[in-house]
Amino acid sequence: MTDAPARPSPIRRGGMMLQSIIFAGGTMVSRVLGFARDAVITAVLGASQTIAADAFYTANSFPNLFRRILAEGAFTAAFVPSYSRKLTGDEADADRFASDALASVATAAIVIAVVCMLAMPWLMYAINPGYVDEPAKFRLAIVLTQITMMYLPFIVIASLFASVLNARGRFAVSALYPTILNIANLAAVLPQKEPVAAAYAASISVLVAGLLQASIVWWFARKTGARIRIVRPRLTPEMKQLIRIGGPNALSQSATQVNIFITGILASQVAGGRTWNEVAARLYQLPLSLVGVAIGVALLPRLAQALQRKDHDEAQGSMDLAMVFALALSLPAAAALVSIPFFLIDGLFTRGEFLAADSAGAATLLLHFGWGVPAFVLLRILQPAFFARDDTKTPMKYSLISVAVNIVLGVSLFPLIGLAGIAVATSTAAWVSVLQMAAALWRRDVYRPSRQAMSKMARITAASVIMGFALAAASYFRPVYEAPLHAVLEHGAKEISLVVVCGLGALLYAVLLFAFGGVTLAEARTAFKRRKGEAAAAPPADLS
Protein backbone atom coordinates (compact mmCIF):
# COMPACT_ATOMS: atom_id res chain seq x y z
CA MET A 1 0.00 0.00 0.00
CA THR A 2 1.46 3.31 -1.04
CA ASP A 3 0.96 6.58 0.69
CA ALA A 4 -1.26 9.20 -0.96
CA PRO A 5 0.65 12.04 -2.57
CA ALA A 6 1.28 14.83 -0.12
CA ARG A 7 -0.57 18.06 -0.65
CA PRO A 8 1.44 21.19 -1.35
CA SER A 9 2.42 23.12 1.76
CA PRO A 10 -0.74 25.03 2.70
CA ILE A 11 0.88 28.31 3.76
CA ARG A 12 3.68 30.28 2.20
CA ARG A 13 5.43 32.75 4.51
CA GLY A 14 6.55 36.32 3.89
CA GLY A 15 7.00 39.80 5.38
CA MET A 16 4.15 42.29 5.61
CA MET A 17 5.40 44.85 3.11
CA LEU A 18 6.76 42.12 0.80
CA GLN A 19 3.28 40.58 0.68
CA SER A 20 1.85 44.04 0.05
CA ILE A 21 4.22 44.77 -2.82
CA ILE A 22 3.46 41.43 -4.50
CA PHE A 23 -0.24 42.16 -4.22
CA ALA A 24 0.17 45.77 -5.35
CA GLY A 25 2.32 44.75 -8.32
CA GLY A 26 -0.37 42.43 -9.64
CA THR A 27 -3.00 45.05 -8.98
CA MET A 28 -0.93 47.61 -10.89
CA VAL A 29 -1.02 45.40 -13.98
CA SER A 30 -4.79 45.19 -13.64
CA ARG A 31 -5.09 48.95 -13.18
CA VAL A 32 -2.95 49.73 -16.23
CA LEU A 33 -5.21 47.51 -18.31
CA GLY A 34 -8.15 49.21 -16.61
CA PHE A 35 -6.91 52.57 -17.85
CA ALA A 36 -6.61 51.14 -21.36
CA ARG A 37 -10.11 49.71 -21.10
CA ASP A 38 -11.66 52.97 -19.90
CA ALA A 39 -9.78 54.99 -22.51
CA VAL A 40 -11.21 52.77 -25.26
CA ILE A 41 -14.71 52.64 -23.75
CA THR A 42 -14.96 56.41 -23.31
CA ALA A 43 -13.55 57.03 -26.80
CA VAL A 44 -16.19 54.77 -28.37
CA LEU A 45 -19.14 55.27 -26.03
CA GLY A 46 -18.55 58.97 -25.30
CA ALA A 47 -20.02 60.71 -22.25
CA SER A 48 -22.26 63.79 -22.28
CA GLN A 49 -23.11 63.60 -26.00
CA THR A 50 -24.38 59.96 -26.05
CA ILE A 51 -26.60 57.75 -23.89
CA ALA A 52 -24.35 54.69 -24.09
CA ALA A 53 -21.56 55.47 -21.63
CA ASP A 54 -23.75 56.51 -18.71
CA ALA A 55 -25.94 53.43 -19.24
CA PHE A 56 -22.95 51.08 -19.38
CA TYR A 57 -21.25 52.51 -16.31
CA THR A 58 -24.53 52.12 -14.45
CA ALA A 59 -24.62 48.47 -15.51
CA ASN A 60 -21.00 48.05 -14.47
CA SER A 61 -21.28 49.75 -11.07
CA PHE A 62 -24.43 48.15 -9.65
CA PRO A 63 -23.22 44.51 -9.45
CA ASN A 64 -19.82 45.81 -8.33
CA LEU A 65 -21.46 47.52 -5.35
CA PHE A 66 -22.86 44.19 -4.15
CA ARG A 67 -19.60 42.46 -4.97
CA ARG A 68 -17.62 44.83 -2.76
CA ILE A 69 -20.09 44.53 0.10
CA LEU A 70 -20.83 40.81 -0.14
CA ALA A 71 -17.48 39.42 -1.27
CA GLU A 72 -14.82 41.94 -0.32
CA GLY A 73 -16.43 43.52 2.71
CA ALA A 74 -18.52 41.22 4.86
CA PHE A 75 -17.31 37.89 3.55
CA THR A 76 -13.59 38.48 3.40
CA ALA A 77 -13.15 40.08 6.82
CA ALA A 78 -15.16 37.24 8.40
CA PHE A 79 -13.93 34.29 6.32
CA VAL A 80 -10.21 34.94 6.08
CA PRO A 81 -9.22 34.85 9.78
CA SER A 82 -11.26 31.69 10.44
CA TYR A 83 -9.97 29.90 7.35
CA SER A 84 -6.37 30.92 8.11
CA ARG A 85 -6.60 29.54 11.66
CA LYS A 86 -8.03 26.25 10.43
CA LEU A 87 -5.38 26.02 7.72
CA THR A 88 -2.61 26.01 10.32
CA GLY A 89 -4.26 22.99 11.99
CA ASP A 90 -6.50 20.49 10.19
CA GLU A 91 -6.41 21.26 6.46
CA ALA A 92 -9.37 18.96 5.78
CA ASP A 93 -11.41 20.98 8.29
CA ALA A 94 -10.36 24.16 6.49
CA ASP A 95 -11.57 22.67 3.19
CA ARG A 96 -14.93 21.73 4.73
CA PHE A 97 -15.31 25.24 6.18
CA ALA A 98 -14.47 26.83 2.82
CA SER A 99 -16.94 24.53 1.02
CA ASP A 100 -19.76 25.61 3.35
CA ALA A 101 -18.75 29.25 2.94
CA LEU A 102 -18.74 28.87 -0.86
CA ALA A 103 -22.24 27.39 -0.82
CA SER A 104 -23.56 30.18 1.43
CA VAL A 105 -22.02 33.15 -0.35
CA ALA A 106 -22.76 31.81 -3.86
CA THR A 107 -26.41 31.18 -2.94
CA ALA A 108 -26.74 34.69 -1.53
CA ALA A 109 -25.17 36.18 -4.67
CA ILE A 110 -27.47 34.22 -6.99
CA VAL A 111 -30.56 35.28 -5.05
CA ILE A 112 -29.49 38.94 -5.06
CA ALA A 113 -28.69 38.83 -8.79
CA VAL A 114 -32.01 37.25 -9.77
CA VAL A 115 -34.08 39.58 -7.58
CA CYS A 116 -32.28 42.64 -8.94
CA MET A 117 -32.70 41.48 -12.54
CA LEU A 118 -36.45 41.03 -12.08
CA ALA A 119 -36.87 44.29 -10.15
CA MET A 120 -34.53 46.39 -12.31
CA PRO A 121 -37.29 48.36 -14.13
CA TRP A 122 -38.32 49.71 -10.69
CA LEU A 123 -34.86 49.80 -9.08
CA MET A 124 -33.56 52.07 -11.84
CA TYR A 125 -35.76 54.89 -10.52
CA ALA A 126 -33.73 54.77 -7.29
CA ILE A 127 -30.34 53.99 -8.85
CA ASN A 128 -30.42 56.73 -11.46
CA PRO A 129 -33.34 59.12 -10.99
CA GLY A 130 -31.65 61.55 -13.38
CA TYR A 131 -32.25 59.15 -16.29
CA VAL A 132 -36.04 59.43 -16.04
CA ASP A 133 -36.05 62.50 -18.28
CA GLU A 134 -34.15 60.54 -20.95
CA PRO A 135 -36.34 57.48 -21.73
CA ALA A 136 -33.87 55.92 -24.19
CA LYS A 137 -31.01 56.07 -21.67
CA PHE A 138 -33.32 54.80 -18.91
CA ARG A 139 -34.38 51.73 -20.96
CA LEU A 140 -30.83 51.00 -22.09
CA ALA A 141 -29.53 51.18 -18.52
CA ILE A 142 -32.18 48.68 -17.38
CA VAL A 143 -31.32 46.11 -20.05
CA LEU A 144 -27.55 46.44 -19.63
CA THR A 145 -27.77 46.15 -15.84
CA GLN A 146 -29.95 43.04 -16.16
CA ILE A 147 -27.19 41.52 -18.31
CA THR A 148 -24.33 42.39 -15.96
CA MET A 149 -26.07 41.37 -12.70
CA MET A 150 -25.23 37.70 -13.32
CA TYR A 151 -21.57 38.71 -13.06
CA LEU A 152 -22.13 38.92 -9.29
CA PRO A 153 -22.27 35.15 -8.55
CA PHE A 154 -19.19 34.51 -10.70
CA ILE A 155 -17.09 37.20 -9.05
CA VAL A 156 -18.22 36.24 -5.54
CA ILE A 157 -17.06 32.67 -6.21
CA ALA A 158 -13.80 34.01 -7.65
CA SER A 159 -13.31 36.18 -4.55
CA LEU A 160 -13.64 33.17 -2.26
CA PHE A 161 -10.99 31.22 -4.14
CA ALA A 162 -8.80 34.35 -4.26
CA SER A 163 -9.05 34.55 -0.47
CA VAL A 164 -8.04 30.90 -0.26
CA LEU A 165 -5.01 31.59 -2.45
CA ASN A 166 -3.98 34.59 -0.36
CA ALA A 167 -4.37 32.61 2.87
CA ARG A 168 -1.95 30.09 1.38
CA GLY A 169 0.51 32.85 0.54
CA ARG A 170 -0.13 32.83 -3.23
CA PHE A 171 -0.78 36.48 -4.03
CA ALA A 172 0.12 36.75 -7.71
CA VAL A 173 -2.91 34.94 -9.16
CA SER A 174 -5.43 36.67 -6.91
CA ALA A 175 -3.94 40.06 -7.81
CA LEU A 176 -3.79 39.35 -11.55
CA TYR A 177 -7.08 37.61 -12.29
CA PRO A 178 -9.04 40.92 -12.43
CA THR A 179 -7.14 41.65 -15.66
CA ILE A 180 -9.39 39.12 -17.39
CA LEU A 181 -12.31 41.54 -17.12
CA ASN A 182 -10.30 44.38 -18.63
CA ILE A 183 -9.06 42.20 -21.49
CA ALA A 184 -12.58 40.92 -22.21
CA ASN A 185 -13.99 44.48 -22.26
CA LEU A 186 -11.23 45.63 -24.61
CA ALA A 187 -11.75 42.70 -26.97
CA ALA A 188 -15.50 43.39 -27.06
CA VAL A 189 -15.39 47.17 -27.54
CA LEU A 190 -12.41 47.68 -29.87
CA PRO A 191 -14.19 46.35 -33.02
CA GLN A 192 -17.31 48.43 -32.35
CA LYS A 193 -18.07 51.70 -34.10
CA GLU A 194 -21.50 52.62 -32.76
CA PRO A 195 -21.85 53.62 -29.07
CA VAL A 196 -24.99 51.64 -28.17
CA ALA A 197 -23.74 48.47 -29.89
CA ALA A 198 -20.45 48.87 -28.04
CA ALA A 199 -22.31 49.18 -24.72
CA TYR A 200 -24.14 45.89 -25.38
CA ALA A 201 -20.87 44.18 -26.36
CA ALA A 202 -19.10 45.46 -23.23
CA SER A 203 -21.94 44.29 -20.96
CA ILE A 204 -21.97 40.78 -22.44
CA SER A 205 -18.19 40.59 -22.11
CA VAL A 206 -18.58 41.21 -18.37
CA LEU A 207 -20.45 37.89 -18.06
CA VAL A 208 -17.85 36.03 -20.11
CA ALA A 209 -15.07 37.49 -17.97
CA GLY A 210 -16.82 36.48 -14.75
CA LEU A 211 -17.03 32.85 -15.84
CA LEU A 212 -13.36 32.84 -16.84
CA GLN A 213 -12.26 34.52 -13.59
CA ALA A 214 -14.09 32.04 -11.38
CA SER A 215 -12.78 29.07 -13.38
CA ILE A 216 -9.16 30.19 -13.40
CA VAL A 217 -8.95 31.11 -9.71
CA TRP A 218 -10.67 27.82 -8.75
CA TRP A 219 -8.12 25.88 -10.82
CA PHE A 220 -5.14 27.62 -9.21
CA ALA A 221 -6.61 27.17 -5.72
CA ARG A 222 -6.94 23.46 -6.41
CA LYS A 223 -3.32 23.36 -7.60
CA THR A 224 -2.21 24.68 -4.20
CA GLY A 225 -3.91 21.74 -2.48
CA ALA A 226 -7.30 23.27 -1.60
CA ARG A 227 -10.08 20.69 -1.95
CA ILE A 228 -13.17 22.88 -1.89
CA ARG A 229 -16.31 21.06 -3.04
CA ILE A 230 -19.78 22.10 -4.17
CA VAL A 231 -22.13 21.32 -1.28
CA ARG A 232 -25.67 22.17 -0.23
CA PRO A 233 -25.92 25.42 1.76
CA ARG A 234 -26.09 24.66 5.49
CA LEU A 235 -26.64 27.05 8.37
CA THR A 236 -24.01 25.45 10.58
CA PRO A 237 -22.79 27.16 13.78
CA GLU A 238 -19.66 28.24 11.87
CA MET A 239 -21.78 29.81 9.11
CA LYS A 240 -23.93 31.56 11.74
CA GLN A 241 -20.74 32.95 13.24
CA LEU A 242 -19.59 34.01 9.76
CA ILE A 243 -22.86 35.89 9.27
CA ARG A 244 -22.70 37.41 12.76
CA ILE A 245 -19.24 38.79 12.14
CA GLY A 246 -19.90 39.61 8.51
CA GLY A 247 -22.93 41.82 9.11
CA PRO A 248 -21.12 44.65 10.91
CA ASN A 249 -18.12 44.17 8.61
CA ALA A 250 -20.36 44.61 5.57
CA LEU A 251 -21.29 48.08 6.77
CA SER A 252 -17.89 49.17 8.07
CA GLN A 253 -15.79 47.83 5.17
CA SER A 254 -18.09 49.04 2.41
CA ALA A 255 -18.93 52.56 3.61
CA THR A 256 -16.54 54.08 1.07
CA GLN A 257 -18.19 52.08 -1.72
CA VAL A 258 -21.68 53.03 -0.57
CA ASN A 259 -20.62 56.68 -0.53
CA ILE A 260 -19.23 56.31 -4.05
CA PHE A 261 -22.50 54.75 -5.17
CA ILE A 262 -24.49 57.62 -3.66
CA THR A 263 -22.22 59.98 -5.59
CA GLY A 264 -23.16 58.12 -8.78
CA ILE A 265 -26.87 58.50 -8.06
CA LEU A 266 -26.51 62.27 -7.76
CA ALA A 267 -24.21 62.41 -10.79
CA SER A 268 -26.90 60.73 -12.94
CA GLN A 269 -28.79 64.03 -12.91
CA VAL A 270 -26.15 65.58 -15.21
CA ALA A 271 -25.71 64.33 -18.78
CA GLY A 272 -22.40 62.46 -18.77
CA GLY A 273 -22.10 62.85 -15.00
CA ARG A 274 -21.94 59.15 -14.20
CA THR A 275 -19.25 58.64 -16.83
CA TRP A 276 -17.24 61.58 -15.47
CA ASN A 277 -17.58 60.06 -12.02
CA GLU A 278 -16.28 56.68 -13.26
CA VAL A 279 -13.34 58.29 -15.04
CA ALA A 280 -12.40 60.26 -11.92
CA ALA A 281 -12.82 57.10 -9.82
CA ARG A 282 -10.38 55.24 -12.07
CA LEU A 283 -7.70 57.69 -10.97
CA TYR A 284 -8.45 58.41 -7.33
CA GLN A 285 -9.18 54.77 -6.43
CA LEU A 286 -5.78 53.69 -7.75
CA PRO A 287 -3.97 54.63 -4.50
CA LEU A 288 -6.72 52.87 -2.53
CA SER A 289 -6.16 49.67 -4.49
CA LEU A 290 -2.39 49.77 -4.57
CA VAL A 291 -1.73 51.15 -1.10
CA GLY A 292 -4.70 50.83 1.24
CA VAL A 293 -5.86 47.40 0.15
CA ALA A 294 -2.35 46.04 -0.32
CA ILE A 295 -1.10 47.09 3.13
CA GLY A 296 -4.41 46.08 4.71
CA VAL A 297 -3.92 42.66 3.11
CA ALA A 298 -0.83 42.07 5.22
CA LEU A 299 -1.68 44.14 8.31
CA LEU A 300 -4.79 42.34 9.66
CA PRO A 301 -3.26 38.86 10.16
CA ARG A 302 0.00 40.34 11.45
CA LEU A 303 -1.87 42.39 14.05
CA ALA A 304 -4.03 39.43 15.05
CA GLN A 305 -0.96 37.25 15.57
CA ALA A 306 0.83 39.95 17.60
CA LEU A 307 -2.20 40.39 19.85
CA GLN A 308 -2.55 36.65 20.28
CA ARG A 309 1.07 36.55 21.49
CA LYS A 310 0.37 39.69 23.61
CA ASP A 311 3.27 41.33 21.81
CA HIS A 312 2.19 44.96 22.08
CA ASP A 313 5.49 46.28 20.72
CA GLU A 314 4.99 44.26 17.55
CA ALA A 315 1.39 45.52 17.21
CA GLN A 316 2.57 49.13 17.69
CA GLY A 317 5.39 48.70 15.21
CA SER A 318 3.11 47.13 12.60
CA MET A 319 0.64 50.00 12.82
CA ASP A 320 3.39 52.63 12.71
CA LEU A 321 4.95 50.95 9.66
CA ALA A 322 1.60 50.69 7.89
CA MET A 323 0.69 54.33 8.63
CA VAL A 324 4.04 55.71 7.44
CA PHE A 325 4.14 53.71 4.22
CA ALA A 326 0.45 54.36 3.51
CA LEU A 327 0.98 58.11 3.72
CA ALA A 328 4.31 57.94 1.88
CA LEU A 329 2.43 56.50 -1.10
CA SER A 330 -1.01 58.15 -0.83
CA LEU A 331 -0.08 61.76 0.00
CA PRO A 332 1.92 62.34 -3.22
CA ALA A 333 -0.92 60.76 -5.18
CA ALA A 334 -3.36 63.16 -3.53
CA ALA A 335 -1.04 66.09 -4.27
CA ALA A 336 -0.95 65.15 -7.95
CA LEU A 337 -4.72 64.69 -8.23
CA VAL A 338 -5.37 68.08 -6.60
CA SER A 339 -2.69 70.02 -8.50
CA ILE A 340 -3.18 68.70 -12.07
CA PRO A 341 -6.67 67.13 -12.34
CA PHE A 342 -7.47 68.39 -15.87
CA PHE A 343 -3.97 67.63 -17.13
CA LEU A 344 -4.41 64.00 -16.00
CA ILE A 345 -7.91 63.50 -17.40
CA ASP A 346 -7.18 65.30 -20.66
CA GLY A 347 -3.98 63.35 -21.31
CA LEU A 348 -5.55 59.98 -20.53
CA PHE A 349 -9.10 60.22 -21.87
CA THR A 350 -9.80 63.13 -24.26
CA ARG A 351 -10.22 61.40 -27.61
CA GLY A 352 -12.98 60.14 -29.89
CA GLU A 353 -16.44 60.69 -28.40
CA PHE A 354 -14.98 61.83 -25.05
CA LEU A 355 -14.64 65.59 -25.51
CA ALA A 356 -12.55 68.25 -23.75
CA ALA A 357 -15.75 69.41 -22.00
CA ASP A 358 -16.13 65.90 -20.61
CA SER A 359 -12.55 66.00 -19.31
CA ALA A 360 -13.27 69.32 -17.61
CA GLY A 361 -16.33 67.82 -15.89
CA ALA A 362 -14.37 64.77 -14.72
CA ALA A 363 -11.48 66.98 -13.56
CA THR A 364 -13.82 68.95 -11.30
CA LEU A 365 -14.76 65.73 -9.55
CA LEU A 366 -11.16 64.47 -9.44
CA LEU A 367 -9.92 67.64 -7.74
CA HIS A 368 -12.24 67.17 -4.77
CA PHE A 369 -11.89 63.40 -4.60
CA GLY A 370 -8.12 63.96 -4.57
CA TRP A 371 -7.91 65.51 -1.10
CA GLY A 372 -9.95 62.60 0.21
CA VAL A 373 -7.46 59.99 -1.04
CA PRO A 374 -5.37 59.83 2.18
CA ALA A 375 -8.58 59.28 4.15
CA PHE A 376 -9.73 56.47 1.84
CA VAL A 377 -6.36 54.76 2.35
CA LEU A 378 -6.14 55.36 6.11
CA LEU A 379 -9.54 53.74 6.59
CA ARG A 380 -7.98 50.51 5.32
CA ILE A 381 -5.18 50.87 7.86
CA LEU A 382 -7.25 51.84 10.91
CA GLN A 383 -10.05 49.28 10.51
CA PRO A 384 -7.75 46.26 11.08
CA ALA A 385 -6.81 47.71 14.48
CA PHE A 386 -10.44 47.12 15.49
CA PHE A 387 -11.00 43.88 13.59
CA ALA A 388 -7.87 42.27 15.04
CA ARG A 389 -9.43 42.81 18.49
CA ASP A 390 -12.77 41.31 17.37
CA ASP A 391 -14.41 44.74 17.51
CA THR A 392 -16.66 45.04 14.46
CA LYS A 393 -19.33 47.29 15.98
CA THR A 394 -17.20 50.43 16.39
CA PRO A 395 -16.14 50.64 12.71
CA MET A 396 -19.73 49.85 11.72
CA LYS A 397 -21.03 52.77 13.81
CA TYR A 398 -18.53 55.18 12.31
CA SER A 399 -19.28 53.92 8.82
CA LEU A 400 -22.99 54.58 9.26
CA ILE A 401 -22.16 58.11 10.40
CA SER A 402 -19.95 58.50 7.32
CA VAL A 403 -22.77 57.46 4.99
CA ALA A 404 -25.15 59.88 6.72
CA VAL A 405 -22.64 62.74 6.39
CA ASN A 406 -22.17 61.93 2.71
CA ILE A 407 -25.89 61.92 1.98
CA VAL A 408 -26.63 65.14 3.87
CA LEU A 409 -23.68 67.04 2.40
CA GLY A 410 -24.19 65.65 -1.11
CA VAL A 411 -27.87 66.55 -1.23
CA SER A 412 -27.14 69.99 0.29
CA LEU A 413 -24.14 70.93 -1.88
CA PHE A 414 -25.26 69.52 -5.23
CA PRO A 415 -27.90 72.25 -5.86
CA LEU A 416 -25.36 74.92 -4.83
CA ILE A 417 -22.12 73.94 -6.60
CA GLY A 418 -23.15 71.06 -8.85
CA LEU A 419 -21.05 67.92 -9.29
CA ALA A 420 -18.21 69.34 -7.20
CA GLY A 421 -20.54 69.14 -4.19
CA ILE A 422 -20.92 65.37 -4.34
CA ALA A 423 -17.15 64.87 -4.48
CA VAL A 424 -16.68 67.26 -1.54
CA ALA A 425 -19.29 65.26 0.39
CA THR A 426 -17.60 61.89 -0.29
CA SER A 427 -14.14 63.11 0.74
CA THR A 428 -15.46 64.87 3.83
CA ALA A 429 -17.33 61.73 4.90
CA ALA A 430 -14.13 59.67 4.60
CA TRP A 431 -12.16 62.12 6.75
CA VAL A 432 -14.94 62.11 9.38
CA SER A 433 -14.57 58.32 9.66
CA VAL A 434 -10.78 58.52 9.88
CA LEU A 435 -10.88 61.12 12.66
CA GLN A 436 -13.46 59.11 14.61
CA MET A 437 -11.46 55.88 14.36
CA ALA A 438 -8.16 57.55 15.23
CA ALA A 439 -9.74 59.29 18.23
CA ALA A 440 -11.29 56.02 19.46
CA LEU A 441 -7.98 54.14 19.21
CA TRP A 442 -6.24 57.01 21.03
CA ARG A 443 -8.83 57.17 23.85
CA ARG A 444 -8.65 53.42 24.41
CA ASP A 445 -4.86 53.54 24.38
CA VAL A 446 -4.97 50.87 21.66
CA TYR A 447 -2.88 52.79 19.14
CA ARG A 448 -1.14 56.14 19.31
CA PRO A 449 1.43 56.91 16.61
CA SER A 450 4.91 57.00 18.06
CA ARG A 451 6.87 60.24 18.08
CA GLN A 452 9.14 58.88 15.37
CA ALA A 453 6.15 57.93 13.19
CA MET A 454 4.61 61.40 13.63
CA SER A 455 7.90 63.01 12.60
CA LYS A 456 8.07 60.88 9.49
CA MET A 457 4.48 61.70 8.57
CA ALA A 458 5.28 65.42 8.80
CA ARG A 459 8.31 65.00 6.52
CA ILE A 460 6.27 62.98 4.02
CA THR A 461 3.66 65.74 4.01
CA ALA A 462 6.31 68.39 3.29
CA ALA A 463 7.74 66.39 0.38
CA SER A 464 4.26 65.86 -1.06
CA VAL A 465 3.31 69.55 -0.83
CA ILE A 466 6.49 70.65 -2.61
CA MET A 467 5.92 68.10 -5.36
CA GLY A 468 2.31 69.28 -5.70
CA PHE A 469 3.39 72.89 -6.26
CA ALA A 470 5.92 71.73 -8.85
CA LEU A 471 3.24 69.79 -10.74
CA ALA A 472 0.86 72.78 -10.61
CA ALA A 473 3.58 74.95 -12.16
CA ALA A 474 4.15 72.34 -14.87
CA SER A 475 0.42 72.35 -15.64
CA TYR A 476 0.35 76.16 -15.81
CA PHE A 477 3.19 76.23 -18.34
CA ARG A 478 1.81 73.30 -20.32
CA PRO A 479 1.10 75.30 -23.53
CA VAL A 480 4.73 76.44 -23.62
CA TYR A 481 6.40 73.04 -23.72
CA GLU A 482 3.60 71.27 -25.61
CA ALA A 483 3.72 73.70 -28.55
CA PRO A 484 6.94 72.23 -30.03
CA LEU A 485 5.50 68.73 -29.69
CA HIS A 486 2.33 69.72 -31.53
CA ALA A 487 4.48 71.21 -34.28
CA VAL A 488 6.16 67.88 -35.03
CA LEU A 489 3.52 65.35 -33.93
CA GLU A 490 0.00 64.95 -35.28
CA HIS A 491 -1.03 62.88 -32.26
CA GLY A 492 0.42 62.12 -28.86
CA ALA A 493 1.76 65.50 -27.71
CA LYS A 494 -0.43 65.73 -24.60
CA GLU A 495 0.23 62.10 -23.72
CA ILE A 496 4.00 62.53 -23.97
CA SER A 497 3.99 65.71 -21.88
CA LEU A 498 1.83 64.02 -19.22
CA VAL A 499 4.18 61.04 -18.95
CA VAL A 500 7.24 63.29 -18.71
CA VAL A 501 5.70 65.62 -16.11
CA CYS A 502 4.43 62.75 -13.95
CA GLY A 503 7.78 60.96 -14.23
CA LEU A 504 9.71 64.05 -13.17
CA GLY A 505 7.22 64.69 -10.37
CA ALA A 506 7.68 61.15 -9.05
CA LEU A 507 11.46 61.51 -9.23
CA LEU A 508 11.32 64.84 -7.38
CA TYR A 509 9.14 63.32 -4.67
CA ALA A 510 11.46 60.33 -4.23
CA VAL A 511 14.46 62.63 -3.84
CA LEU A 512 12.63 64.84 -1.34
CA LEU A 513 11.27 61.86 0.59
CA PHE A 514 14.70 60.37 1.23
CA ALA A 515 16.37 63.78 1.67
CA PHE A 516 13.83 64.82 4.34
CA GLY A 517 14.05 61.44 6.04
CA GLY A 518 10.39 60.53 5.57
CA VAL A 519 11.55 57.00 4.69
CA THR A 520 15.12 55.72 4.73
CA LEU A 521 16.60 53.10 2.44
CA ALA A 522 17.22 50.86 5.45
CA GLU A 523 13.56 51.08 6.47
CA ALA A 524 12.42 50.29 2.95
CA ARG A 525 14.67 47.20 2.82
CA THR A 526 13.44 46.05 6.24
CA ALA A 527 9.80 46.53 5.28
CA PHE A 528 10.08 44.35 2.22
CA LYS A 529 12.29 41.69 3.77
CA ARG A 530 10.86 38.22 4.28
CA ARG A 531 10.41 37.38 7.93
CA LYS A 532 10.88 33.81 9.07
CA GLY A 533 7.78 32.31 10.63
CA GLU A 534 5.41 35.13 9.80
CA ALA A 535 2.03 33.96 8.55
CA ALA A 536 0.74 35.10 5.23
CA ALA A 537 -2.11 37.51 4.89
CA ALA A 538 -5.33 36.61 3.27
CA PRO A 539 -7.74 39.21 1.99
CA PRO A 540 -9.06 39.41 -1.56
CA ALA A 541 -7.91 41.28 -4.59
CA ASP A 542 -9.53 44.59 -5.45
CA LEU A 543 -11.39 43.70 -8.64
CA SER A 544 -12.57 46.91 -10.14
Side-chain angles (χ1 to χ4, degrees), residues 371-425:
W371 53 265
V373 162
F376 300 142
V377 172
L378 288 175
L379 284 173
R380 296 285 186 152
I381 307 303
L382 295 174
Q383 284 174 345
F386 295 93
F387 296 151
R389 294 167 174 84
D390 295 325
D391 180 1
T392 58
K393 292 184 178 180
T394 300
M396 178 189 69
K397 179 179 70 174
Y398 294 152
S399 296
L400 290 174
I401 293 172
S402 170
V403 171
V405 169
N406 189 40
I407 293 173
V408 171
L409 277 181
V411 171
S412 301
L413 293 175
F414 181 71
L416 299 177
I417 57 176
L419 286 177
I422 60 181
V424 169

Side-chain angles (χ1 to χ4, degrees), residues 508-529:
L508 173 63
Y509 173 71
V511 171
L512 292 171
L513 180 66
F514 288 110
F516 289 175
V519 174
T520 67
L521 289 173
E523 289 167 339
R525 284 194 297 268
T526 300
F528 298 124
K529 184 180 179 181

Side-chain angles (χ1 to χ4, degrees), residues 6 10 20 30 32 50 63-64 84 93 100 152 159 186 196 209 259 262 269 273 279 296-297 342 382 426 458 507 529:
S20 298
S30 176
V32 169
T50 73
N64 274 331
S84 298
D93 187 41
D100 284 337
L152 179 62
S159 294
L186 281 168
V196 172
N259 285 338
I262 293 169
Q269 299 179 59
V279 167
V297 159
F342 179 77
L382 295 174
T426 300
L507 179 61
K529 184 180 179 181

